[in-house]
Amino acid sequence: MGISYDPGRFHNSFGGGGSAMTSQRQGLIAALDVGSSKVGCFIAHRGASGELDVLGLGHRVCRGVKAGAVVDIAEAERAIRAAVQQAETLAGETVESVLVSLSAGQLESQVIEVDVSIDGHRVEEADITRVLHEARASIDPGDRVVIHAFPACFAIDGSYGVKEPVGMFGDRLAVSMHVITAAAGPVRNLESAIQRAHLTVARFVASPYASALATLVDDERELGAAVVDMGAGSTQIAIFVGGALVHVDVIPVGAGHITQDIARGLLTPVDHAERLKTYYGAAMQSPTDDREMIDVPQLGETGPAEDITSQLPRSVLTGVIQPRIEETLELVRDYLEAGGFDGIGARRVVLTGGGAQMPGIRELAQTILGKQVRIGRPCRVVGLADATAGPAFATCTGLLLYDQMAPLELSDERQTEAKEQPKGRLARMGRWFKENF
């Protein structure tokens, strides 16, 4: 039997967890990014005019998560607890609920198209409600869990791209609903680890979606761009067209695989392999690599440092790293082509995540993908420390922005605000979600 479509089951579908957020001090937002290499927590306050003030942040190494999925719940709990406590100490605040990124569970995108007859009359609010009801009834996640479900666009008589149907005339009103689902088991395990740390999940947000919110500028969202988040355990893709998220995908290869390649290729401990990657790694060979020597501690050796360390040209390290990055970028290219997003939906690629910090990766990506590429850093939140203002913390920053930038998935708090606004698409959607969920 499949999992029933219950928006409150995991505190997330259609913004069902908004009440958890309001239990904290008004305007306080806590974001939790549980990744394969680290757990990050940002605590911010949203002012009356919508500006975000980051009050505290914390991050800890995480060894209980693999490819975004919890594999050791006790280890994951410890990392979550430590990161949140560090952020709480700096912020001088205590949080009870968190917005949580989700990259596990084999995220899948599905577009559901539904249309209803309007018999040539003027589109009214009741017609919008009716077509959205029909779309909701068409969602069947089976044994998976709905993470996001929101209208990507409306259409009148087959003409898509309509942003405000009310007032228009036609015979058929249609909506394209973008539904993102995940396997139930990994979602439950992640929520359990968070609950063991005495926190509740306000809602889950797909990791590539959060990263895109933090790194894309308005024109990129409107004209079309693909965000490629190169995390430790996986590489995640989010595609925006016409201002809307139209597709997400996850490739099970990440920067952590590069670390493993270095450890195996150079016969060095994994911790040292990570250090070598961070300090000396590059995505492409440079003319000086053959002349620059690096110290490589040897696996299993004991004794004086000079006896257990060998020196190798930096070109050997780059020779291990470059093939893995090329493979990852080729997979991204293949995914974009297979999904039909090689054209307008991905003319521009924004690389983000910890793996995007490697020197030379932008140039290599442009060569393999054949597109304009830039490195995406959080661009919508000010006040972040230099250490947390880079691509590695894009997902955590995007979680802070979710409450403002995803208006079609309204939480209880935003529904109240929307009702006070003039009539329009956001106000109408707020009323509809409150009435039906």
Side-chain angles (χ1 to χ4, degrees), residues 401-432:
L401 295 165
Y402 172 84
D403 200 52
Q404 294 174 297
M405 297 184 64
L408 296 184
E409 291 187 281
L410 303 181
S411 67
D412 294 343
E413 179 180 354
R414 286 200 300 269
Q415 287 166 4
T416 302
E417 295 170 354
K419 289 171 65 178
E420 298 170 355
Q421 301 298 321
K423 281 190 175 182
R425 182 171 61 134
L426 304 187
R428 179 180 67 249
M429 291 300 299
R431 290 194 299 273
W432 183 80

Side-chain angles (χ1 to χ4, degrees), residues 51-280:
E51 73 282 1
L52 284 171
D53 180 17
V54 179
L55 306 177
L57 52 91
H59 57 93
R60 286 289 186 272
V61 173
C62 183
R63 302 187 187 279
V65 176
K66 184 176 181 180
V70 174
V71 295
D72 186 326
I73 198 165
E75 285 284 350
E77 175 201 341
R78 279 192 285 271
I80 292 168
R81 190 188 300 271
V84 173
Q85 287 179 347
Q86 183 184 13
E88 287 178 331
T89 299
L90 292 175
E93 299 281 355
T94 300
V95 298
E96 299 173 0
S97 65
V98 286
L99 288 161
V100 182
S101 66
L102 182 71
S103 58
Q106 299 173 319
L107 294 176
E108 291 182 359
S109 279
Q110 178 186 10
V111 176
I112 297 174
E113 296 185 356
V114 173
D115 67 347
V116 296
S117 174
I118 51 176
D119 297 326
H121 67 68
R122 180 178 181 272
V123 177
E124 305 289 348
E125 299 280 348
D127 299 313
I128 302 296
T129 299
R130 183 158 57 98
V131 74
L132 290 173
H133 268 298
E134 292 289 335
R136 180 204 176 193
S138 300
I139 298 175
D140 180 14
D143 58 355
R144 297 171 64 83
V145 171
V146 175
I147 304 302
H148 297 287
F150 46 81
C153 66
F154 292 92
I156 301 290
D157 291 343
S159 298
Y160 281 87
V162 177
K163 294 185 177 181
E164 181 54 76
V166 172
M168 300 183 68
F169 292 85
D171 293 314
R172 309 289 299 183
L173 170 66
V175 63
S176 293
M177 184 77 75
H178 183 195
V179 180
I180 301 174
T181 63
V187 178
R188 289 196 187 102
N189 291 333
L190 179 55
E191 184 171 42
S192 178
I194 294 168
Q195 289 174 341
R196 284 169 57 125
H198 305 292
L199 297 164
T200 59
V201 177
R203 69 167 293 130
F204 288 107
V205 179
S207 293
Y209 187 18
S211 297
L213 293 178
T215 57
L216 289 182
V217 299
D218 291 341
D219 284 346
E220 288 172 330
R221 289 160 55 93
E222 189 65 33
L223 297 176
V227 173
V228 178
D229 188 336
M230 306 183 75
S234 62
T235 297
Q236 304 147 43
I237 303 171
I239 298 174
F240 273 80
V241 178
L245 176 69
V246 298
H247 187 76
V248 299
D249 222 324
V250 178
I251 301 172
V253 179
H257 294 80
I258 298 174
T259 302
Q260 294 293 327
D261 290 347
I262 295 170
R264 294 189 182 99
L266 304 187
L267 298 177
T268 191
V270 173
D271 288 345
H272 288 290
E274 180 67 27
R275 181 178 177 85
L276 289 170
K277 182 184 73 174
T278 302
Y279 286 96
Y280 303 108

Side-chain angles (χ1 to χ4, degrees), residues 265-266 285 289-290 292 294 312-321:
L266 304 187
Q285 297 279 2
D289 281 354
D290 285 330
E292 183 178 352
I294 58 176
L312 295 173
R314 186 178 177 183
S315 59
V316 175
L317 176 64
T318 308
V320 174
I321 294 173

